[in-house]
């Protein structure tokens, strides 16, 4: 028996995504002279495809199919990310010189969304075979054991952060990998050593990209007063920079959230989607939802995301197979990290990273990839011990 609560939570968010893709895309539809139902129909197709795959995967036996599905996802998406840099412009959709999407007829595929799920599975599969049953290792033994995974991650960082210029996805993957190291039994010394190296590499990726430096300065200029005023040290005040005008996206996002109040303006009545907040049905969908459905709508979304993550972690805690355990944890981390990065970005707490809200933002690749991940977790949930009423013990 699959976890029906997890399935219900995902269905709620997918349904809300379909509704908001129609409500929030009004300005974009008019601007590009699309049909009124352009985004609604396309998102409906993506959701139908993702949901169908999710249900299909949930019916499979994980002992027979999980490894095949997970490793296929990892290798094919990895090859796609490598090869897309060599494909001609007619087959690749590029933005700002960054090749992120492969054209497949009328739709574009973002391999990185599928790679995240495949990478987490590869880590879980490999860790369960090589590391979980080992006795206590020295630091250098740990380094040798984990090095292949760090190399794969480093290659992924180069492809995603350098060629695709998408540092946000690297942050999500890196955070997930670091936590999986902990659950795989790495020592504190090794963990903090790797964290230090990753942090240094992260800083390097920022300082070698002028557009990222500009984005950081713009963000810091808007939040520095609220942070530095609490710090009495004189030397710290040297970190102040000349405050620039608040980025219009963040400003309008905050205004949309504020305009929604507690109850919201009502479905379809949002004002900031009318050209003030671009891409409101994608990266800024939480701001659009909050304006139209209010604080209550945001609470509903947050609670549903937390419910989904909780059910995934509960499945992980009860399942006996270590590979199932690590993969379920990894999927829960991917969802929670993506939601946190997006919500922090639209509220100005951190710089905007262009991370989609799981199951909500418009877009086929992340919807289908997220549904595949949930389908694999639902497949695993059938192996969880249950009581006579079918509840997880």
């Amino acid at each position: 028996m699959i976890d029906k609560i997890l399935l219900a939570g995902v269905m709620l968010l997918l349904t809300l995504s379909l509704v908001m893709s129609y409500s929030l895309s009004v300005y974009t539809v008019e601007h590009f002279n699309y049909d009124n139902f352009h985004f609604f129909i396309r998102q409906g197709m993506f959701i139908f495809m993702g949901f169908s795959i999710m249900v299909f995967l949930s019916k499979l036996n994980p002992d027979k199919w999980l490894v095949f599905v997970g490793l296929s996802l990892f290798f094919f998406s990895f090859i796609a990310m490598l090869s897309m840099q060599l494909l001609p412009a007619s087959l690749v959709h590029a933005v700002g010189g960054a090749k992120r999407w492969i054209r497949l007829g009328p739709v574009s595929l973002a391999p990185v969304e599928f790679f995240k799920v495949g990478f987490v599975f590869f880590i879980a599969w490999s860790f369960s075979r090589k590391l979980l049953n080992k006795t206590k290792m020295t630091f250098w033994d740990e380094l040798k054991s984990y090095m292949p995974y760090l190399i794969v991650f480093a290659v992924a960082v180069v492809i995603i952060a350098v060629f695709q210029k998408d540092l946000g996805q690297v942050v999500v993957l890196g955070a997930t990998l670091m936590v999986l190291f902990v659950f795989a039994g790495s020592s504190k010394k090794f963990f903090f050593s790797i964290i230090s190296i990753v942090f240094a590499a992260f800083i390097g990726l920022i300082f070698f990209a002028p557009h990222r430096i500009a984005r950081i300065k713009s963000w810091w200029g808007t939040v520095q007063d609220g942070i530095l005023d609490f710090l009495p040290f004189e030397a710290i005040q040297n970190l102040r920079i000349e405050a620039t005008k608040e980025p219009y996206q963040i400003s309008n996002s905050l205004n949309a959230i504020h305009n929604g109040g507690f109850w919201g303006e009502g479905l379809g009545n949002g004002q900031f989607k009318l050209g003030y907040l671009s891409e409101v049905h994608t990266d800024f969908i939480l701001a659009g939802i909050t304006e139209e459905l209010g604080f209550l709508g945001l609470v509903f979304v947050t609670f549903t995301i937390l419910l989904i993550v909780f059910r995934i972690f509960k499945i992980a805690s009860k399942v006996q197979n270590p590979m199932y355990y690590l993969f379920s944890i990894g999927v829960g981390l991917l969802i929670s990290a993506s939601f946190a990065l997006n919500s922090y970005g639209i509220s100005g707490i951190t710089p905007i990273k262009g991370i989609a809200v799981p199951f909500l933002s418009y877009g086929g690749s992340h919807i289908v990839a997220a549904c595949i991940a949930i389908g694999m977790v639902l497949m695993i949930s059938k192996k969880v011990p249950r009581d006579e009423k079918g509840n997880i013990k």
Side-chain angles (χ1 to χ4, degrees):
M1 182 185 295
I2 64 172
D3 191 310
K4 294 181 179 179
I5 298 178
L6 173 59
L7 179 61
V10 173
M11 289 175 62
L12 282 174
L13 291 185
L14 291 177
T15 302
L16 181 61
S17 172
L18 187 59
V19 173
M20 300 312 296
S21 68
Y22 175 76
S23 176
L24 298 178
S25 61
V26 173
Y27 177 80
T28 307
V29 165
E30 292 293 330
H31 182 74
F32 291 101
N33 199 28
Y34 291 145
D35 180 80
N36 288 340
F37 291 92
H38 174 83
F39 291 101
F40 179 84
I41 293 174
R42 289 172 67 91
Q43 188 74 341
M45 292 171 58
F46 299 146
I47 290 174
F48 176 77
M49 183 186 304
F51 184 77
S52 299
I53 294 173
M54 179 172 64
V55 172
F56 173 76
L57 290 175
S58 70
K59 295 182 180 297
L60 299 179
N61 184 346
D63 295 336
K64 294 181 178 180
W65 291 100
L66 193 69
V67 173
F68 174 78
V69 173
L71 292 184
S72 297
L73 199 63
F74 171 72
F75 286 114
F76 283 115
S77 59
F78 190 58
I79 292 171
M81 287 201 306
L82 285 172
S83 62
M84 70 188 300
Q85 305 305 320
L86 306 175
L87 293 175
S90 59
L91 296 177
V92 178
H93 178 55
V95 175
K99 297 180 178 180
R100 297 183 183 179
W101 296 274
I102 298 177
R103 296 183 186 275
L104 297 174
V107 299
S108 296
L109 179 72
V112 67
E113 297 291 350
F114 300 91
F115 176 76
K116 289 188 297 184
V117 181
F119 180 74
V120 166
F121 181 82
F122 171 74
I123 294 297
W125 171 76
S126 193
F127 278 9
S128 65
R129 294 171 64 245
K130 296 183 178 181
L131 297 175
L132 291 182
N133 296 323
K134 284 192 174 184
T135 57
K136 188 175 181 180
M137 297 182 288
T138 65
F139 175 82
W140 294 110
D141 288 336
E142 282 187 289
L143 186 60
K144 291 178 183 177
S145 298
Y146 287 111
M147 185 56 67
Y149 314 110
L150 296 175
I151 292 174
V152 172
F153 178 68
V155 173
V157 168
V158 173
I159 296 173
I160 299 171
V162 178
F163 292 112
Q164 298 187 8
K165 300 179 182 179
D166 194 351
L167 190 59
Q169 302 287 11
V170 170
V171 172
V172 172
L173 270 181
T176 302
L177 179 60
M178 291 302 102
V179 177
L180 286 179
F181 277 160
V182 174
F183 283 97
S186 66
S187 65
K188 292 181 180 179
K189 182 178 180 180
F190 176 81
F191 176 76
F192 285 111
S193 298
I194 296 300
I195 284 288
S196 301
I197 295 172
V198 169
F199 181 75
F202 178 75
I203 298 298
L205 288 171
I206 292 176
F207 278 94
F208 280 105
H211 72 283
R212 289 179 184 140
I213 295 177
R215 188 179 298 173
I216 293 291
K217 284 184 176 180
S218 177
W219 166 77
W220 178 247
T222 63
V223 302
Q224 60 183 350
D225 291 338
I227 296 175
L228 296 180
D229 287 347
F230 285 98
L231 303 175
F233 309 106
E234 190 66 29
I236 294 294
Q237 304 307 314
N238 294 329
L239 295 176
R240 289 186 184 275
I241 62 173
E242 183 178 353
T244 58
K245 186 178 180 181
E246 187 174 46
Y248 79 95
Q249 284 286 74
I250 292 297
S251 177
N252 287 331
S253 175
L254 292 173
N255 287 335
I257 293 171
H258 180 266
N259 193 47
F262 190 81
W263 300 106
E265 292 291 297
L267 187 63
N269 295 328
Q271 300 299 311
F272 284 87
K273 66 184 179 184
L274 303 178
Y276 300 101
L277 195 57
S278 63
E279 306 298 332
V280 67
H281 55 299
T282 57
D283 297 342
F284 285 85
I285 191 169
L286 287 179
I289 288 175
T290 306
E291 184 183 17
E292 297 199 349
L293 303 182
F295 178 72
L296 283 180
L298 182 61
V299 169
F300 169 78
V301 170
T302 304
F303 173 80
T304 308
I305 288 285
L306 291 176
L307 175 65
I308 290 171
V309 173
F310 171 76
R311 296 303 298 186
I312 292 173
F313 285 164
K314 187 168 185 179
I315 292 169
S317 67
K318 300 296 182 180
V319 77
Q320 303 298 318
N321 189 310
M323 179 179 66
Y324 300 168
Y325 162 74
L326 286 175
F327 176 70
S328 298
I329 289 176
V331 171
L333 291 171
L334 284 179
I335 294 172
S336 53
S338 297
F339 180 75
L341 277 178
N342 182 280
S343 56
Y344 289 170
I346 68 162
S347 57
I349 298 175
T350 63
I352 301 172
K353 300 311 302 173
I355 297 293
V357 182
F359 313 108
L360 277 178
S361 294
Y362 173 83
S365 295
H366 93 270
I367 288 288
V368 174
C371 286
I372 290 174
I374 295 298
M376 295 170 71
V377 174
L378 290 174
M379 195 193 310
I380 291 171
S381 71
K382 294 187 294 186
K383 294 293 181 178
V384 175
R386 299 178 182 273
D387 58 24
E388 295 178 355
K389 296 182 179 180
N391 298 318
I392 296 177
K393 290 183 179 180

